[in-house]
Amino acid sequence: MERRRAREDGPEVSAIGLGCMGMSEFYGEADDARSESVIHRALDQGVTFLDTADMYGSGANEQLVGRALKDRRDEAFLATKFAIKRGEGGSFTGVSGRPEYVREACDASLKRLGVDHIDLYYQHRVDPEVPIEETVGAMAELVAAGKVRFLGLSEAAPATVRRAAEVHPIAALQTELSLWSRDPEAELIPLCAELGILFVAYSPLGRGFLTGRYRSPADFPEGDFRRNLPRFSAENFGKNLELVAGVEELAESKGCTAAQLALAWVLTRGDHVVTIPGTTNPDRLDQNAGAAKVDLTPEDLATLDGILPPDAAEGTRYPEQRMSMVDG
């Protein structure tokens, strides 16, 4: 597995990592034993960049990842996040970047993960009520205390990233990027290259849509949160499905899957760009890892630009209320 870094003193991670969110929530029933085996299989293949967060499964995902790494901690580059708060029954109760909450959340994550340090600690969403300088200042204290190695932000606006980097080096910025979510190409990816920040693309397969696996909204199981996303609505689904057909056709001509083509495209966005597709299926894990070997020619990239230019997808990434939490 290829490894990438954005600057000499920054983290070096596998170009393709593993997003663990769906192992505990949002995409149907959880199967912890199966998920632990997938994490082990990922490590065996050099897919060592593991991504979790304290809000996934209201802490259950961190516990799962911690169990999987119990005897293999040194093999993984472990990233987790704080800021999105959950209440009773999993309710979402807001976002906090308060310094005292930063310290409290980190200690809780360390305990759930069963580790003595976190490799990469992200602010999951920017708190509009707390200056980013205060939040990152508290995060920097965690680095000084040896609890955290590198700091990151998620879904932060360019100006926010610049302000944060003046307080403490920002090692990674995590933002949604895929063939149908191309907004970061305009400012964020060039900014990360300028500042030596690793750009971590989440949902690189369009929450599974770009794989071609889903042919109608009814294909999503009961309780799957994609049922509530605008791009997967009955109104938009068919229009977006037409876009995927072109991706599938090009993938077939290159002898790879649509998912591999979509992941390979993400990796062409820059040498400082990595991605963290999620799966609980060992076969799909193998396919995703194989995407690092897919070579896209300038002609292939031009074809993909024609199929899925920026803003081609119908519908926003999230419902209106949640969209207000991105680009913070």
Side-chain angles (χ1 to χ4, degrees):
M1 172 58 65
E2 176 192 355
R3 298 178 69 81
R4 292 186 172 188
R5 69 191 325 157
R7 61 173 179 259
E8 194 61 34
D9 61 347
E12 183 180 61
V13 302
S14 55
I16 295 177
L18 177 61
C20 299
M21 180 187 77
M23 295 177 176
S24 299
E25 194 177 13
F26 302 114
Y27 294 134
E29 290 294 322
D31 184 335
D32 286 0
R34 179 184 175 93
S35 293
E36 286 186 43
S37 70
V38 167
I39 292 174
H40 292 160
R41 189 181 184 97
L43 296 176
D44 292 340
Q45 296 192 24
V47 177
T48 54
F49 186 15
L50 304 184
D51 181 89
T52 181
D54 61 1
M55 63 83 72
Y56 299 159
S58 297
N61 195 245
E62 286 185 326
Q63 293 173 327
L64 165 67
V65 173
R67 288 194 302 271
L69 293 182
K70 185 175 181 181
D71 299 316
R72 305 186 67 171
R73 174 66 183 94
D74 293 343
E75 299 177 50
F77 184 88
L78 178 59
T80 192
K81 316 177 198 71
F82 76 93
I84 300 177
K85 302 176 70 176
R86 306 288 294 269
E88 291 186 12
S91 60
F92 291 88
T93 59
V95 172
S96 179
R98 293 181 296 106
E100 58 271 29
Y101 182 72
V102 173
R103 294 185 285 268
E104 174 188 324
C106 181
D107 286 343
S109 286
L110 288 168
K111 184 176 181 179
R112 282 189 293 266
L113 289 162
V115 299
D116 62 6
H117 73 277
I118 295 162
D119 293 311
L120 174 59
Y121 199 44
Y122 292 101
Q123 183 181 15
H124 206 161
R125 292 290 187 272
V126 175
D127 184 346
E129 304 299 323
V130 179
I132 193 66
E133 291 83 358
E134 293 184 18
T135 302
V136 174
M139 295 169 70
E141 293 175 5
L142 301 174
V143 176
K147 296 180 179 181
V148 170
R149 293 178 59 208
F150 298 101
L151 302 185
L153 300 175
S154 179
E155 291 287 3
T160 303
V161 176
R162 287 191 183 276
R163 287 168 54 198
E166 291 178 1
V167 178
H168 187 279
I170 300 300
L173 174 69
Q174 183 176 133
T175 298
E176 184 169 347
L177 173 70
S178 71
L179 277 165
W180 76 344
S181 293
R182 298 183 58 172
D183 291 348
E185 291 179 272
E187 290 187 76
L188 285 175
I189 292 177
L191 174 64
C192 287
E194 174 193 338
L195 299 180
I197 296 173
L198 202 64
F199 185 94
V200 182
Y202 77 84
S203 295
L205 299 177
R207 304 196 183 279
F209 193 78
L210 294 171
T211 66
R213 176 185 175 193
Y214 301 101
R215 314 310 288 186
S216 84
D219 289 342
F220 300 123
E222 201 65 39
D224 191 308
F225 93 123
R226 287 171 291 192
R227 286 174 172 258
N228 300 315
L229 299 183
R231 290 184 177 177
F232 298 103
S233 69
E235 176 186 5
N236 294 326
F237 199 100
K239 300 173 187 175
N240 288 327
L241 195 59
E242 293 175 6
L243 302 175
V244 177
V247 177
E248 292 177 309
E249 183 177 335
L250 178 59
E252 184 176 359
S253 73
K254 294 190 66 65
C256 66
T257 67
Q260 288 174 324
L261 186 69
L263 292 173
W265 176 87
V266 169
L267 296 180
T268 66
R269 299 304 90 186
D271 293 339
H272 64 303
V273 176
V274 299
T275 187
I276 48 169
T279 186
T280 58
N281 184 309
D283 292 334
R284 292 197 190 97
L285 174 76
D286 294 346
Q287 290 179 21
N288 291 347
K293 299 178 181 178
V294 174
D295 182 41
L296 297 182
T297 66
E299 292 75 20
D300 295 332
L301 296 176
T303 298
L304 289 169
D305 282 340
I307 297 169
L308 279 159
D311 301 321
E314 293 285 344
T316 55
R317 294 195 278 140
Y318 296 108
E320 184 177 354
Q321 189 274 331
R322 292 189 64 185
M323 282 299 296
S324 67
M325 297 170 64
V326 304
D327 198 28

